[in-house]
Amino acid sequence: MAQGEMPNPLSIRVHDEIGLLTADFNQLSQKLKLVEDLRKKMLSDISHELRTPLTNINGYLEALSTGVIPGNKELFDSIHEESIRITRLVEQLHQLNVWQGKKISNENKMNVLSIEKLIDSCVDHFSLEFKNRGVIIDLKTEAAKVVGDEDGLKQVLHNLLTNVLQYDEGGWVEITGKQKESNYQVIVKNLGQPIPEEHESLIFERFYRVDSSRSRDSGGSGLGLSLVKEIIEQQGGKAGLRSKGNEHSFWFTVPLEK
């Protein structure tokens, strides 16, 4: 294990202290193997995500430098869009790394927050853009005190509302917040692109896309929802999706103040 090679699980022949030690060793070995597999997959995903925009940029710049194609506004706009896409991906990777660092070091700044005020503030930040896109906002929130990280909850709402703007097909969004047992549940519902039922459990995975090409065209990196899940679970809540046809309800919970 010290050399990075994960052994096969050891057989447990006794149920005394040695047996417990063997079981713990097997569990440790499995977890280390899982971490290594996830690390390799993430590196592969990152290289795949960066390859296409970087190839496009390099191709355009090489053609410009050799005089194969002349420079014009459309071409420079295209190069700029690819650059923005890379910047957005790197920023989301940075945010994901920051939050995973907080999880390891337990540095989450949990405070008592007025959740309805936080939601109102986030929605207000998006109101002009929604208006320009012709998206009508229906906001209904109950007043309540929750325990959470303010910056994290703002990031969660930002990502969910950004998804609405990117994939909206109905011209409306419903944002509701209500107390549910010992938690406060926030639901962001709108009409969007179809999400097959078998994909719903995977939608929060890193770099996952229902339609890879269409998501790239609209600027999706496949990291926004994984960041939502990471932040919410660190605050003792849950995140999920309920779909009915093209109507999608992304939801998350955060603990109420006791």
Side-chain angles (χ1 to χ4, degrees):
M1 288 177 66
Q3 295 173 352
E5 297 179 4
M6 296 302 110
N8 293 324
L10 302 176
S11 60
I12 301 174
R13 302 179 182 276
V14 292
H15 297 283
D16 55 9
E17 289 85 352
I18 298 300
L20 292 174
L21 177 62
T22 304
D24 288 342
F25 177 85
N26 287 340
Q27 185 178 18
L28 173 62
S29 177
Q30 290 172 353
K31 284 187 176 180
L32 288 174
K33 185 177 186 305
L34 177 61
V35 169
E36 179 64 13
D37 289 344
L38 289 173
R39 184 187 70 82
K40 290 179 179 178
K41 183 179 184 303
M42 188 169 185
L43 286 173
S44 174
D45 288 337
I46 291 171
S47 63
H48 176 74
E49 292 298 319
L50 291 175
R51 186 181 297 115
T52 299
L54 285 174
T55 299
N56 290 340
I57 290 175
N58 288 336
Y60 285 138
L61 293 178
E62 183 178 354
L64 284 169
S65 65
T66 57
V68 173
I69 58 175
N72 55 57
K73 185 180 185 304
E74 289 74 18
L75 177 59
F76 293 133
D77 285 344
S78 180
I79 296 175
H80 186 221
E81 286 177 7
E82 297 290 355
S83 174
I84 290 175
R85 188 177 303 175
I86 295 173
T87 302
R88 186 184 298 117
L89 172 61
V90 171
E91 176 59 28
Q92 288 190 320
L93 283 169
H94 171 69
Q95 291 172 0
L96 195 57
N97 185 55
V98 167
W99 281 96
Q100 289 179 332
K102 287 184 178 183
K103 181 178 182 179
I104 295 171
S105 60
N106 196 26
E107 291 181 356
N108 289 312
K109 299 177 182 178
M110 300 299 186
N111 295 305
V112 177
L113 308 168
S114 297
I115 186 65
E116 79 285 356
K117 293 181 179 178
L118 187 146
I119 296 171
D120 290 347
S121 174
C122 290
V123 173
D124 186 60
H125 178 76
F126 277 81
S127 60
L128 181 59
E129 198 163 359
F130 275 122
K131 183 179 179 180
N132 291 338
R133 299 281 188 91
V135 178
I136 299 173
I137 303 172
D138 183 7
L139 177 62
K140 297 175 183 176
T141 55
E142 293 180 3
K145 299 288 187 180
V146 303
V147 178
D149 185 299
E150 183 175 357
D151 291 338
L153 291 176
K154 286 182 177 179
Q155 182 68 59
V156 166
L157 286 164
H158 178 275
N159 287 10
L160 293 179
L161 294 175
T162 297
N163 269 11
V164 172
L165 286 170
Q166 286 181 340
Y167 305 117
D168 175 72
E169 293 189 354
W172 58 269
V173 57
E174 291 181 7
I175 303 158
T176 59
K178 58 184 178 181
Q179 299 183 47
K180 189 174 182 180
E181 299 176 351
S182 60
N183 295 303
Y184 191 92
Q185 184 180 60
V186 179
I187 303 173
V188 178
K189 180 167 70 174
N190 76 312
L191 285 178
Q193 300 171 2
I195 300 177
E197 185 177 350
E198 64 271 18
H199 291 248
E200 291 182 17
S201 62
L202 303 172
I203 203 75
F204 290 90
E205 297 297 323
R206 293 176 191 169
F207 296 108
Y208 185 81
R209 294 186 178 93
V210 176
D211 185 328
S212 186
S213 61
R214 199 179 337 173
S215 294
R216 282 194 180 90
D217 290 340
S218 58
S221 67
L223 283 175
L225 291 177
S226 64
L227 187 57
V228 166
K229 182 181 179 182
E230 179 74 30
I231 294 172
I232 291 300
E233 289 185 349
Q234 284 191 33
Q235 299 184 44
K238 294 182 179 180
L241 164 66
R242 293 190 298 269
S243 291
K244 186 184 296 183
N246 283 25
E247 185 178 276
H248 309 303
S249 297
F250 287 92
W251 59 270
F252 67 87
T253 61
V254 61
L256 288 165
E257 179 189 22
K258 295 182 180 179

